[in-house]
Structures are given as structure tokens and as C-alpha cells.
Amino acid sequence: MDSTSSPVSAPADASAGSPGGITVQRALELPGLRSGLPEVVAGGDRLQRTVRWVHAGEVPNIASLLKGGELLLTTGFGLGTRPAEQRAFVRKLAERGIAALVIELGQRFARLPAALVETARAAGLPLVQLHREVPFVTVTEEIHTEIVNGHYALLQRAEEVHRHCTNALLGGGGVPQVLRILAEFSGNPVFLETADGQLLYAAGADGDITDPLQVWEGMRATHKDEPPGGAVLVDVPGGGPGAGSVRARLVLLPVSSALAPVHRIAAERAAGSLAVVLMQARQEEELAARGRGDFLTDLAEGRITPEDAPAQARVLGFKPAGQGPLLPVVMRLPETSMSLAPGGGWAVLARAVSEELASVGVPVLLGVRPVEGRVPLLLGLRTDSERTAVADRVAAALRAGVERAGMQRAGAQPPVVVVGGAGGWPAAAAGLRHAAETATAAQGLDDRPWFDARRLDIDLLLWRLRDHPDLASFVERAIGPLQAHDKRSKPPLLPTLQTYLAHAGRKAETARELHLNRQTLYNRLARIGELLGTDLDDPQTVLALSLALRARRHVA
């Protein structure tokens, strides 16, 4: 016997080998092949390969019929008679990635040719010779039954894990508990990340001294785009408008041990439960945010009295310290941002803004009003002198939250933040109403971090008159000739007039901002006066033109 040949050992544990499949070793231990007195003559160190299926055949080109992972049964008639043909036959099978080649001696070979054995050894392909005739159909049935039973056992184990996850959720557990169950089952850390790769939750197996957060950071430091090979990645469906919408992703990393197919199956089952949990959490979060938005709107519109408001606000979690003033703030989103927030987007926005506002350092009551595209807030100040500093931080937090929620496209119109006056509950009610209206009226103004509602009363008045025909007539009388000029001639003169009025008629500052020399500016101002038939130095004329330029946004 060749030094590498070895008789098959006594039957081992039937569960040995790859989960969900059957190993070559296990196949040789089944009664069908054992009755043939199998002898491994090559690839004895590769018997833990997984057998995906069994195929029997006698044709020379049988490799082209295989997909990989098969155990091939043959009597050897298709191997060819010349050593070169036999080497080519084995090499093609090895290239196909079959699990093992089993040849029955007697009909074609009394013993296997040396060329066949040597090529199998060189290719690392398990090669087995059978010393007795066996019915191939019996061998096929036995192995296929074993494979199917193995898959069924896998599904049972995965179903058991899924049952544990479901029971945990029904018992009041959340995402962390589901991840811990998966981590215990796999013996490896498990992570839940957003669709764009941001970590949401992490869990490790009990007894594992490795910090899962350190594992995550180390993995992301070396694999920025995708986890390393051997990891299990399962999408958690998002229920969004697209069929392939993904809310999050489960990641199992093979840190302590390799991950098996059963771990993927269990993760896929758990992903369905997690999708329901995340959807429910998002719905509850959005309902809570809408409820706070309804309270703030009812307060602004007088449906809740200032006397009843403090008690209701406390129920909603708003507990300002002492008797400090309340600061109303309203953010108004442009239409383009609102279109980016289908189903659940407002919950994402509310959470992102809340997290950003945590650094402001004052009590905050935050709500959402999706229909109007508004985010109303009420903040508890210690003193009125904090107003400007807090408004700066709140405006920055609101805009950062919009960006984090994915509701701000590059180059799109930014949200408008309007800050009202600080005061008690009666002033807060009026301030919220005033800020909400002003936020709408301020759409299209030059972008600023935030607007003071008290300084936009003229814009608000003009916005309220936007549908009145007299406003359009006033704009046409005041600047109509200039608008007509700019449609047909260059350079346009409306920007020059607007800048000139913004600088209160100071020509030097106007020229600097427009990057014009003095004479060019004088010529343009003279042309404006000529077209309008007015004197730009007359205070009444200046007032009328300023109002017309402001009203122009609302009647265009």
C-alpha cells in the first residue's frame, strides 16, 4: 500500500464537518460506501471538505457537467487509457472544485493508475478507491438523505435562535438583547449598523473579554468599505418606497471562531424581527415627535391656554428650571427637503436634531409638523441675556440635524430658522405663532444662521398681502420698468438698486460690494432714476422702492 494510503477509520461523530452539509469523511462512513471497503489514496488531509451533492457518471467530459462540491462516483471508463488523458481528467475535476473522486475497482481498473493518483495528490483532490462493488444508487440516496437531514437540522437550529429572539422581544427586550442572543449563538461579536455604515448597536458573547466596540473600530480602520472575508452581512429591510430599501445591516465578524451557514440563516431570521422592531420604534418616535408638535401648535393657536400649558409640557418631558424665560424657535424646511422624508423620515430628523440639541445645555421641547414642514421648539432659558448665544447654538444644531437626517441636498435651499422673543408662557404662545408665520415669509431671503422674528415684521406683513391684487399693482408701479429692463438688457439693474438701498444710499459701500468703480455706479443709479422717473435721494421714494423689492418675492 502506498505510504499516503489509509483505510477509513471507524465511524466518527455524525455531526462532524461543515454545518448544513456532509463531509467526505462522513460520506465514507455511511453504510453504502463502507460496504465497498473504501481506501483513501490521495488527499487524506482534505476529508473535511463539504459534499454538496453526489453525481455518478462515466463520460470523459464529466467535469463540464459539475458545479463544484460534488462527490463523483465512477467505475473509471471515462478516465481514458493513456496517462496524459488520466491526468487531464483529474485536473479538470480539481479545477471544478469537486469534493472527492470515488472510483470502484474491478470493471475498469484492478488498481488505480499511478498517473491518476499522483495528479490527485498534486491537486489536493481526495481520491478514494472501492475494493468491492456497491450500488451507486444506494450510495446516492444515502448521501442525499444525509445532506437533506443536515439542512433540516440547520433550519431547526436557526429556528430555535429565532424563537429565542422573538420571545426576548415579546418579553420587552429590544435590539441589544437580540444581538446578544446572536452573539452567544455564533460565539462572535455582532453589530447593527446603518445602511451607510454607522454603528448603532454592538454585542459580544458572554465570557468574551474582547470589547466589541474595539473590534468594530479595528475592523473599520482596516476595512473602511466592507467587513473582512468570512464575515456574515445581512440586510435589515427598511420598508421604504423601493423594493430594495434597507434600514440597517447585521454584521457578524469571525473573531473567536469561523462563521458557519447556520449563523447566516439565524441572522437572516433575526433580521426580519429587527425590521419590525425598528419600524415600530420609528413609528413610536415619530408619533411622539408629532404629539409634541401638536402641543406647540395648539399652544400657538390658542387651543391650549398659557395656564394649562406648563402641566401638559411637563407630561411631555419639558421641565425648565426656575422661572426663567421661554424662547420659541421655528425651523421651516423647503419643499425639496420635505420630499426627502418619506415614511419615517421625520422620526430620523427629530432624533438627529434632539441629539444635536443635547449640547446646547438648556431644556428643550421639540416637535414636528410634517404637513406644514415645520419643526417648532420651546427652550427654557435662565435669563433673557442668553437669548442670542442660545439661538446661535440652536440654529447650528437644527441645521446639523437636517443634514444628518439626509434632508438637505447639496446646493438646495437651506432651512429657515426663526427665533422669537423670550418671555413667559403667554409670550411663548404668541412667539411660536409669530415665528411660524415669519419662517414661511422668510423663505427666499438671503441665507442667515437664524432670523429674529421681531425684525421681519415688514416681510410678514407683505407675505400676508401676497394674494391681494393691490400688492402686485404696487410692485408693478414701483419697479415694473426696472423689471422689464432687466428681462431684455444687461447689465441687470435690480441688484444694483437692492444693494444701494441695503447700504442706506452709501455709494462707496455699494460700489465695493458690487465691485464697481464710482463712475460706473453713478451711471447705473442715474439710469435707474431715469427708468423709474424718481429721485433716489427722496426718502419717500426710497421707502417705496424698499417695500416693492421685498414684496417682489411674494408676487413673482
Side-chain angles (χ1 to χ4, degrees), residues 108-398:
R108 175 68 177 81
F109 298 113
R111 59 177 300 172
L112 295 184
L116 202 68
V117 177
E118 292 167 0
T119 306
R121 289 176 187 163
L125 175 66
L127 176 61
V128 180
Q129 59 184 6
L130 300 179
H131 292 279
R132 287 183 182 172
E133 182 178 339
V134 298
F136 283 179
V137 65
T138 300
V139 172
T140 300
E141 287 177 350
E142 283 184 350
I143 294 178
H144 285 176
T145 299
E146 191 83 357
I147 291 172
V148 171
N149 287 342
H151 282 298
Y152 179 69
L154 272 184
L155 293 175
Q156 281 188 313
R157 292 174 64 195
E159 185 60 34
E160 182 66 21
V161 174
H162 183 235
R163 192 156 44 246
H164 285 316
C165 293
T166 302
N167 289 339
L169 294 173
L170 291 176
V175 174
Q177 193 165 348
V178 171
L179 297 191
R180 281 196 296 273
I181 292 171
L182 286 177
E184 282 296 311
F185 178 61
S186 67
N188 287 289
V190 179
F191 307 92
L192 185 68
E193 64 178 21
T194 62
D196 60 355
Q198 300 298 314
L199 182 62
L200 294 173
Y201 298 95
D206 285 347
D208 191 348
I209 60 174
T210 306
D211 183 354
L213 292 179
Q214 291 181 349
V215 172
W216 177 266
E217 291 169 357
M219 184 271 292
R220 280 301 180 198
T222 55
H223 299 80
K224 289 184 173 56
D225 297 326
E226 288 293 332
V232 169
L233 281 69
V234 176
D235 288 338
V236 177
S245 176
V246 175
R247 171 167 287 130
R249 186 167 69 164
L250 270 173
V251 180
L252 283 67
L253 294 180
V255 175
S256 302
S257 59
L259 293 166
V262 68
H263 299 134
R264 173 176 289 279
I265 297 173
E268 289 171 346
R269 298 290 180 86
S273 299
L274 289 174
V276 175
V277 172
L278 293 176
M279 184 180 300
Q280 182 181 13
R282 182 168 292 184
Q283 289 172 344
E284 291 174 353
E285 194 170 4
E286 180 168 337
L287 284 174
R290 286 176 181 244
R292 295 189 296 270
D294 291 344
F295 165 76
L296 292 170
T297 302
D298 288 344
L299 176 64
E301 296 179 359
R303 289 187 289 271
I304 296 176
T305 66
E307 293 75 24
D308 295 335
Q312 295 191 33
R314 280 195 297 273
V315 172
L316 295 173
F318 183 59
K319 300 173 183 178
Q323 299 297 318
L326 304 175
L327 182 65
V329 178
V330 172
M331 175 172 67
R332 174 71 159 78
L333 296 174
E335 293 293 332
T336 52
S337 295
M338 292 168 62
S339 66
L340 298 177
W346 287 95
V348 175
L349 174 65
R351 187 188 322 120
V353 170
S354 296
E355 291 171 357
E356 294 290 338
L357 286 170
S359 63
V360 174
V362 298
V364 179
L365 182 62
L366 167 75
V368 298
R369 295 284 293 179
V371 174
E372 298 94 346
R374 291 201 306 262
V375 179
L377 303 90
L378 205 55
L379 299 103
L381 306 182
R382 288 180 290 271
T383 64
D384 189 58
S385 61
E386 290 183 303
R387 180 177 181 272
T388 300
V390 169
D392 287 338
R393 296 199 297 273
V394 168
L398 288 171

